[in-house]
Amino acid sequence: IKPYSSGSRNRKAGAPKYSGRLEVWAKLERPNDAVAEQKTHSEASALNTTELTALSNILSIAGQLSADNITINAPKVAVVGGQSAGKSTIFNVILEGINSVARFPTGDGTCTKVPTILKLQKGSSNAVQVSAPGYSSPLSPSASSAEIVAAIKAAQRTILVNEFPGYQDDHVKFSPTPVMLTAISPNVPTEIVMVDLPGMVAGPQAEDVKSMVRGQIISTNTLIVSAGKADNDDGVDEGLALARATAPEAIDPSGERTLRLYTFWKQARDIRQDQIKRDINAAPPQSKAHVLDLKKSSDGNLVTDFAAGVPSDCQGTGRLVVRLANALGPLVRNTKDELRQQLETEMQRIAARLDVIGDKPPDESRIAKRLQPVQNILSVVGHDLDDNCNDMTHTFNAELYALGGDKIDEMRVDFWQLNLFELPFFQGEQATLQTVKNQMELWIKPFKELMEAFYEECNKSIEKVLAELEKLDDLPMAFLDEIKSMWLTDAKKAVEAMTSRLIPPDNKALWVPGREDESALEKMMNKPPSKTMTKEEMADYLSPDSLKSLADVCDEAKEKLAAQCKKISGEEFDYKAGKEPPMMVQMLVVVRKRILESAKQWVGVGSAYENPTGQMNGFVNKVQEDIKQTCIQFSKFERKVGTNQSCLECLKEDKYEVERYKVLKHKELLQHAIYEVGKL
């Protein structure tokens, strides 16, 4: 294994690094002075008990955070390999070597479903501890190996049940949250922390497991132990292939931080053993592979056996631990500042998130804080509503101008017979009133369209409000729904109120003049402008210029007048002949002309260039004033929200209760990790 150098092409941006070259690993078989020298070197390079405990705690915390997609790249030794490559067996032989009863689960199936952190710690007596988030083993000092294996499996199960509801033991599930196994023994020659990762598997979980293992080893402050059966060619070994991968991200393609570990040495073919020996002898010291040859002891346990032809410093679990410990110590010390930086950066992210969601459930001050930006947005949009209504009122005015008094159809004047018992001044009075009503009824349709447009504009405005409020990421959905409901309810009520005030009901039977809730348009229909007959009108009525008057009458009306004349007096009237019409026709023409002129003045006219006249002017002003006052009410809507009990109750809802619990848990873990970094 080579230490990482600053020029390495495999360094991931932002990942921890260290520089300097580690010395050649200690050798297995040495004379006493060499062993003493080795001990001095090991003690100088390896982690002491305090550092070892701190690192194991940091690794446990990093694993717990990883389960929630928070990546902390802590320095470590990670053992990778294919399923049943003998990884767990390696740890068991190491434990056997220090006379510990602790054991890893082993077998032909999937034994390691979560990372297992093994901490070898020197102590005055033997002890074993198994722990995991949500699990603590009740192991007694006299616990057997079977009880310890059962505790590890129980810890794994606790993790998987918490993360995969409905999990059963026969389910193939994996998690990055680790189990911690601490083996304390007076026989520990070199203290170390190692991580046993789940083996690569085939089937539907293959990519998930590979992705999890990749995440554990991709950081340049991770020393990789690639374990594989000695009989397998390196080219087909899954663990080595992953360690040497270049895509999707480079891990360690040059092998600078990977130690190749061959297991099941006795099962390898002779030709394969010879090839491995040649490769080891030819490699530089820091790149030499390691061999683990095993045999059964008299009590049936697997123990280290000597592999003939393999350098003594490149075989056996004792030398493996020394090599790894001497590499891990400097790595940890040289990368602790960057590890601290990772943790502090994550703490800053958590602090920023807590600023949004709060570190405690909402109280009155937090409700007021959450309400302030809501009211600001509502105030702006409420004021904008008035400006947005200008276009629709301009459209309404234009439609009304097209229905002015100057646009009354002559044939809609229903006056075809003089009343012999009425004075000239009163002739056609009811016909004038009806003509005005007929024309002003046409205003109802554009007004209703205006109300529909107004409601739609209110709907657009509240959608704009909601879009802005959703960006705040701090408001319960029930609160947003309540605001929308209140806004649209107010808009609907406003439309209903304006409709009731300004136009008559749809049922004409209710159009009773002078009733208490008579609309503005009805009042305008029923109240004619004051007018007296002028001398000219009286003279025209008594001595009409019949031919001149007829020139302004449409042919359809002339035919109707001729038919009425014949029906009433029996006189024939051929208006096409250009002869003087009968007196009755002359008087009818004068009255009808007066009705049209009176209706025109009563109804009024308007254009885009001049202010409207008559009742049109009054109706346009009333409509505009009603919309303006309604918009003013909407501009004050933010005050209504601030005092509405339903809205305030919604803001009391703790939308982030679950997230806050997790974030505070992450904060606590990170604070603990930062404290532990101080011990490195």
Side-chain angles (χ1 to χ4, degrees), residues 424-465:
F425 179 79
F426 296 104
Q427 290 287 339
E429 188 175 85
Q430 286 301 314
T432 302
L433 178 63
Q434 190 59 49
T435 299
V436 168
K437 282 187 175 182
N438 291 342
Q439 189 65 17
M440 293 177 71
E441 279 181 38
L442 299 178
W443 296 358
I444 294 175
K445 182 175 181 292
F447 176 82
K448 287 184 175 180
E449 291 174 350
L450 172 64
M451 292 296 98
E452 290 175 2
F454 176 79
Y455 184 82
E456 181 58 31
E457 188 60 40
C458 288
N459 194 40
K460 290 179 181 178
S461 295
I462 193 60
E463 290 300 330
K464 181 179 178 181
V465 168

Side-chain angles (χ1 to χ4, degrees), residues 172-199:
V172 183
K173 297 289 185 181
F174 298 87
S175 167
T177 303
V179 171
M180 173 82 76
L181 172 61
T182 302
I184 304 172
S185 171
N187 300 314
V188 172
T190 304
E191 295 183 318
I192 193 171
V193 173
M194 294 185 287
V195 183
D196 181 23
L197 298 175

Side-chain angles (χ1 to χ4, degrees), residues 257-272:
R257 55 188 179 89
T258 300
L259 173 65
R260 184 72 169 119
L261 175 59
Y262 293 107
T263 61
F264 299 99
W265 179 255
K266 285 185 171 61
Q267 297 178 13
R269 295 159 292 164
D270 290 344
I271 189 172
R272 181 67 181 140

Side-chain angles (χ1 to χ4, degrees), residues 65 71 124 180 210 222-223 274 293 307 507 535:
L65 293 171
T71 300
S124 59
M180 173 82 76
K210 187 178 290 186
T222 296
L223 303 178
D274 291 341
D293 193 13
N507 186 356
K535 292 181 179 180

Side-chain angles (χ1 to χ4, degrees), residues 290-399:
H290 203 90
V291 169
L292 183 59
D293 193 13
L294 303 176
K295 66 180 180 180
K296 282 193 175 182
S297 63
S298 58
D299 56 3
N301 291 319
L302 287 173
V303 295
T304 302
D305 196 10
F306 187 79
V310 177
S312 58
D313 58 334
C314 295
Q315 63 171 301
T317 54
R319 288 311 102 206
L320 175 65
V321 171
V322 170
R323 292 179 74 180
L324 295 176
N326 288 345
L328 180 61
L331 172 65
V332 169
R333 298 184 187 103
N334 289 326
T335 61
K336 69 176 183 180
D337 289 342
E338 294 187 35
L339 175 58
R340 181 185 288 108
Q341 181 61 46
Q342 288 185 70
L343 296 169
E344 290 175 348
T345 299
E346 193 60 35
M347 281 290 287
Q348 291 171 6
R349 188 192 67 80
I350 283 179
R353 186 59 184 155
L354 287 174
D355 281 344
V356 175
I357 67 177
D359 57 2
K360 60 183 67 174
D363 54 15
E364 288 188 7
S365 63
R366 181 149 187 85
I367 289 174
K369 183 179 178 181
R370 297 171 85 182
L371 193 58
Q372 188 58 55
V374 175
Q375 292 179 309
N376 292 342
I377 292 170
L378 284 169
S379 178
V380 171
V381 174
H383 283 91
D384 289 346
L385 182 63
D386 189 20
D387 294 334
N388 297 338
C389 287
N390 287 337
D391 289 343
M392 68 180 73
T393 54
H394 290 158
T395 300
F396 168 73
N397 291 347
E399 291 177 352

